[in-house]
Amino acid sequence: MSNLYPPEGRLLHTLQNRANVETLSRLRQAMARETVVEGRVTLCTPAHDLVVQLGPFTGTIPREEAALGIREGTAREISILSRVGKPVSCVVTQVEGSLLLSRRRAQELALEALLACPPGTVLPATVTHLAGFGAFVDVGCGVVSMIGIENCSVSRISHPARRFTVGQEIYTVLTGTDRSLGRLYLSHKELLGTWQENAARFSPGMTVTGWVRGVQLYGTFVELAPNLTGLADQTEGLQEDDRVSVYLKAILPDRMKVKLTILQTLPPQSAPDPLPYFITAGHLSRWVYSPPERRGEVIETVFD
């Protein structure tokens, strides 16, 4: 599915896409098969038609074909205007006379394929924009869904910008669908490793960097990895999202705890650290975050 309907921009420079748009004959074949192709939008006309450079050819996406929801009035015009200068997925609808394209049809095909995927399917995605409550991502041909902030990672963050940047290529996992609304539900934390997988990267006695994710009277929570947080004694002057160096005192799998000592505050970084994915493809039936030694409630996600 992901090979046929990837997030916009993933097809543009592939050999397959170049071959599909190199001649009129190949464009006719692509039209007959409803093959998704990619070009780059060079212009938006006063009528909000998009002019697209498609290989050696110039095509047009009429306004109503520029995105799902434009025809119905449920999508804003900014979804058309914002495509200028960017790759666009489309289906060829006419070759003779003038080259006409439809982004809407490409999105319909992608959404239909995505709605047919079972929960637990791992999907490639590209971050399109960030809001306080979640990260919006393109999961195929410009079809956008959201990862809620609570599902970005096990470690709690104040804003999705602490985890992602716009334009970043990531992975996400489908937790459910609503065919009647054409809606996809996504998560991300299950792909960043279990407690045990993350803790295996560290040993008592190490000094490492981390991020302050919570300041409480009883201690300070420090993120060592997106899915691993430790607890240090209360330290004066620290604020949420400060970057710090910490000394690892102990790792306790049975209590699912990492004990830390904060050594000093470090200069901030301009962007989040690269994401340490443990899963990037396939299908999940059940994901258990808690280590086998864990006493008490098991933290897990069941997809099927």
Side-chain angles (χ1 to χ4, degrees):
M1 203 293 301
S2 59
N3 289 334
L4 294 176
Y5 310 112
E8 284 184 311
R10 307 281 183 100
L11 276 179
L12 187 62
H13 298 298
T14 64
L15 292 176
Q16 176 189 4
N17 188 64
R18 289 175 180 175
N20 286 335
V21 302
E22 66 182 353
T23 65
L24 288 175
S25 175
R26 296 301 296 269
L27 286 173
R28 291 187 189 98
Q29 292 176 22
M31 179 174 65
R33 298 170 183 168
E34 286 198 313
T35 300
V36 172
V37 295
E38 277 198 354
R40 189 176 297 277
V41 179
T42 60
L43 175 70
C44 180
T45 71
H48 290 185
D49 299 335
L50 295 178
V51 178
V52 180
Q53 190 65 42
L54 197 63
F57 303 100
T58 299
T60 300
I61 302 177
R63 174 186 170 277
E64 290 193 351
E65 299 298 320
L68 278 172
I70 291 295
R71 186 183 301 171
E72 296 80 7
T74 57
R76 297 186 299 162
E77 295 297 306
I78 190 64
S79 63
I80 302 176
L81 307 180
S82 62
R83 295 317 303 171
V84 175
K86 298 178 182 178
V88 66
S89 299
C90 53
V91 168
V92 180
T93 59
Q94 179 180 303
V95 174
E96 309 306 329
S98 58
L99 180 59
L100 296 182
L101 312 167
S102 174
R103 182 173 182 242
R104 173 193 175 93
R105 181 55 183 157
Q107 292 179 337
E108 287 175 342
L109 293 168
L111 183 58
E112 185 63 29
L114 288 162
L115 290 171
C117 290
T121 301
V122 178
L123 302 168
T126 299
V127 179
T128 60
H129 58 288
L130 303 171
F133 50 84
F136 291 87
V137 297
D138 172 0
V139 286
C141 297
V143 173
V144 173
S145 188
M146 189 192 74
I147 303 170
I149 189 171
E150 71 281 3
N151 291 320
C152 290
S153 60
V154 173
S155 178
R156 296 179 180 178
I157 51 177
S158 59
H159 193 281
R162 305 290 179 263
R163 191 69 66 224
F164 307 115
T165 57
V166 173
Q168 183 178 4
E169 295 184 357
I170 66 170
Y171 297 93
T172 186
V173 59
L174 190 67
T175 61
T177 61
D178 187 330
R179 184 171 288 275
S180 64
L181 296 176
R183 187 168 295 173
L184 309 168
Y185 301 98
L186 305 174
S187 187
H188 181 259
K189 61 187 178 184
E190 292 83 1
L191 308 180
L192 298 175
T194 64
W195 189 94
Q196 188 175 44
E197 287 171 331
N198 281 278
R201 300 164 52 196
F202 303 96
S203 300
M206 283 184 172
T207 299
V208 299
T209 59
W211 298 86
V212 174
R213 295 306 188 201
V215 178
Q216 304 294 335
L217 291 177
Y218 55 84
T220 302
F221 290 96
V222 179
E223 175 190 309
L224 305 177
N227 273 9
L228 184 68
T229 299
L231 184 63
D233 293 335
Q234 187 183 30
T235 304
E236 294 295 328
L238 288 178
Q239 297 181 348
E240 194 168 338
D241 299 326
D242 279 350
R243 185 167 169 257
V244 294
S245 64
V246 293
Y247 175 79
L248 276 70
K249 296 194 295 185
I251 298 176
L252 309 171
D254 60 327
R255 296 166 62 190
M256 210 164 71
K257 288 187 177 181
V258 181
K259 293 186 176 182
L260 307 170
T261 297
I262 296 173
L263 300 179
Q264 61 181 328
T265 303
L266 300 174
Q269 289 184 175
S270 58
D273 290 325
L275 292 167
Y277 286 107
F278 286 79
I279 301 169
T280 57
H283 175 269
L284 303 177
S285 297
R286 179 172 177 254
W287 179 74
V288 181
Y289 177 70
S290 308
E293 304 95 324
R294 165 71 167 168
R295 300 173 186 172
E297 182 183 1
V298 173
I299 301 172
E300 65 178 349
T301 304
V302 178
F303 294 95
D304 293 339

